[in-house]
Amino acid sequence: MTATPGRARPDLLRATLLVLAAACLWGLLGIFGKAAQRLGLGPLEVAFWRAALGGGLYLLHAAVTRAALPRGRDLLFTLLFGVLGVSVFYASYQLAVRAGGASLASVLLYTAPAFVAIMGGLFLQERLGARELGAVLLTLGGVALISLGGGQGVQVSAAALGWGLCAGFTYSLYYLYGKLFFSRYAVPALYGVALPFGALLLAPLTTFSHKSGPAWLLLLTIAVFSTYLAYLAYSAGLKRLPATRTSVIASLEPVVAALLAAALFGEHLSLLALLGAALVVGAALLLSTG
């Protein structure tokens, strides 16, 4: 049975709202992370609790739905993803927030599509044509302009750029991992293994501090809203929307982060840095319409 046009429109609207919600929740991640760090938590502790609490929610979800967990070789790949896609990614993103600010970290995260284009050509035999090369050059130019532009409340340093690009690179691994496993296992089952393992690896590197009630509330908000619900909303929307439209909507994430960082923390990218940010997001959109 095919869906009628009248039924399809509400479904598309609902899917669009789900992806928009995911983009906003991800845009809040740097804001919540910076607020938690201002309450005395270190970047690695924020990353640890995001992985531990978010992973616990996914594991509970997988248990309730009786989703099959990865085994054998698939389990090994999932654990490796937990190392790079969780431990390194979560830590580098929070370190980028501390070093340069929430808005800068969010923009640099969107270098991920350029890394995807390069790795897709190297490892997945995907076409690396003029569009992909152009997007990579736009991304490089954008990062260069950001490094030269800076801004008020934004610290463009080697550490900020390095951690931000590391976050972009490790975030790009979600695409490669998803290509291999998202059609074979339920997302909560995969994240229910990868996130707790990532938290386990972060634990020895983390200095745990005494946490106030507001600090715990921020950590729970990051885990529930910017991790668990964000990925569920995005995956649900992606099932009913074309990948191109989904990517365009998701690119609102750094816009949300920049606006909130300006309002709450006084972060303002300079005009030159804003141009660089536009090039980075534009490169992501260019790849999404390929």
Side-chain angles (χ1 to χ4, degrees):
M1 180 182 295
T2 58
T4 63
R7 175 62 185 274
R9 281 192 292 271
D11 286 346
L12 288 176
L13 176 60
R14 189 179 301 112
T16 299
L17 292 175
L18 284 170
V19 176
L20 180 61
C24 292
L25 291 174
W26 282 327
L28 289 169
L29 177 59
I31 306 300
F32 293 142
K34 184 164 184 173
Q37 292 182 42
R38 285 192 166 186
L39 291 178
L41 279 69
L44 295 184
E45 185 173 8
V46 176
F48 168 83
W49 286 113
R50 181 191 181 195
L53 297 174
L57 290 172
Y58 282 121
L59 196 57
L60 178 62
H61 187 145
V64 170
T65 57
R66 298 183 179 181
L69 299 178
R71 296 181 179 180
R73 186 180 179 185
D74 293 347
L75 176 59
L76 293 178
F77 276 109
T78 300
L79 295 178
L80 178 60
F81 175 72
V83 176
L84 299 175
V86 179
S87 297
V88 179
F89 170 46
Y90 284 13
S92 60
Y93 187 78
Q94 293 301 326
L95 288 165
V97 169
R98 183 181 69 174
S103 55
L104 179 62
S106 183
V107 168
L108 291 176
L109 188 64
Y110 266 70
T111 60
F115 287 116
V116 168
I118 294 171
M119 289 190 295
L122 292 175
F123 301 114
L124 298 178
Q125 287 77 53
E126 294 184 350
R127 179 178 175 270
L128 189 61
R131 181 192 299 269
E132 289 75 18
L133 291 174
V136 171
L137 291 175
L138 282 176
T139 300
L140 292 174
V143 172
L145 290 179
I146 291 170
S147 66
L148 293 172
Q152 179 184 341
V154 178
Q155 299 176 4
V156 181
S157 62
L161 292 173
W163 288 122
L165 291 174
C166 181
F169 171 72
T170 48
Y171 185 47
S172 72
L173 299 177
Y174 279 71
Y175 171 81
L176 296 176
Y177 181 74
K179 269 279 195 179
L180 294 172
F181 294 103
F182 282 2
S183 62
R184 298 164 57 186
Y185 297 94
V187 169
L190 296 171
Y191 287 161
V193 172
L195 268 69
F197 185 68
L200 183 65
L201 295 180
L202 283 170
L205 305 175
T206 302
T207 299
F208 294 97
S209 61
H210 173 75
K211 287 168 282 297
S212 62
W216 277 117
L217 181 60
L218 283 169
L219 292 173
L220 287 171
T221 301
I222 289 172
V224 175
F225 291 96
S226 295
T227 306
Y228 175 71
L229 291 179
Y231 283 119
L232 288 183
Y234 184 80
S235 60
L238 187 59
K239 291 179 180 179
R240 294 186 177 275
L241 284 179
T244 298
R245 186 183 301 181
T246 304
S247 299
V248 170
I249 298 170
S251 67
L252 290 173
E253 176 188 345
V255 177
V256 171
L259 291 175
L260 289 175
L264 298 175
F265 302 123
E267 294 183 12
H268 298 279
L269 293 170
S270 69
L271 289 177
L272 190 61
L274 283 174
L275 177 58
L279 290 181
V280 171
V281 176
L285 295 177
L286 177 63
L287 287 171
S288 75
T289 56

